[in-house]
Amino acid sequence: MIKTIGVTFLKFSFVGVLNAIVGAIVYYTVLFSLKTSPTTAYVLCYITGIFFSYFANKAKTFKDNTPFCVKQLTSFIIINIFACLLSLAMLSLAINCFHVSSEIAYFFAIPASLVVNFIGNFFWTFKKS
């Protein structure tokens, strides 16, 4: 079981790296080609990232062959929102309590988001029956 979780976590992390690349492409394309605000570009990037990550993790990480299900996507989105809020809290904690620079504080937020996302999706969204 531990080996299965470890391999799945590595796949999940790899999808996360791909998601960051896709997100950056969307962000900069929208920002510079469509001449939008950074906020608009980021929101579109984040939405794209959620869908990319959902379908990539469903197919490759968790090998879930069930048909598309709105309930499952909703679970995925809820976990992502919770992970995002947690990572924002970690970012704030690092900057305001530990006086870490904002450039470095980002690296405090990543592990919290990654772990919460993985655990939530492994044990809830893509839970094997």
Side-chain angles (χ1 to χ4, degrees), residues 35-76:
K35 309 270 191 254
T36 65
S37 71
T39 303
T40 301
Y42 186 76
V43 167
L44 292 174
C45 158
Y46 198 82
I47 291 168
T48 302
I50 285 177
F51 284 100
F52 172 82
S53 183
Y54 170 75
F55 288 107
N57 278 306
K58 179 176 176 58
K60 298 299 180 188
T61 303
F62 298 104
K63 303 211 183 297
D64 183 336
N65 297 323
T66 61
F68 174 76
C69 173
V70 172
K71 181 181 175 190
Q72 188 181 53
L73 176 61
T74 302
S75 299
F76 189 83

Side-chain angles (χ1 to χ4, degrees), residues 88-110:
L88 287 171
M90 294 299 292
L91 189 71
S92 178
L93 186 70
I95 293 168
N96 298 316
C97 294
F98 296 109
H99 309 289
V100 174
S101 72
S102 57
E103 294 83 8
I104 303 297
Y106 175 75
F107 294 101
F108 282 70
I110 293 170

Side-chain angles (χ1 to χ4, degrees), residues 1-13 60-63 118 122-123 126-128:
M1 177 72 162
I2 298 293
K3 183 179 177 183
T4 301
I5 292 173
V7 169
T8 306
F9 182 76
L10 288 175
K11 290 178 183 179
F12 187 82
S13 299
K60 298 299 180 188
T61 303
F62 298 104
K63 303 211 183 297
F118 177 73
F122 187 86
F123 290 106
F126 299 108
K127 180 181 178 181
K128 303 283 187 214

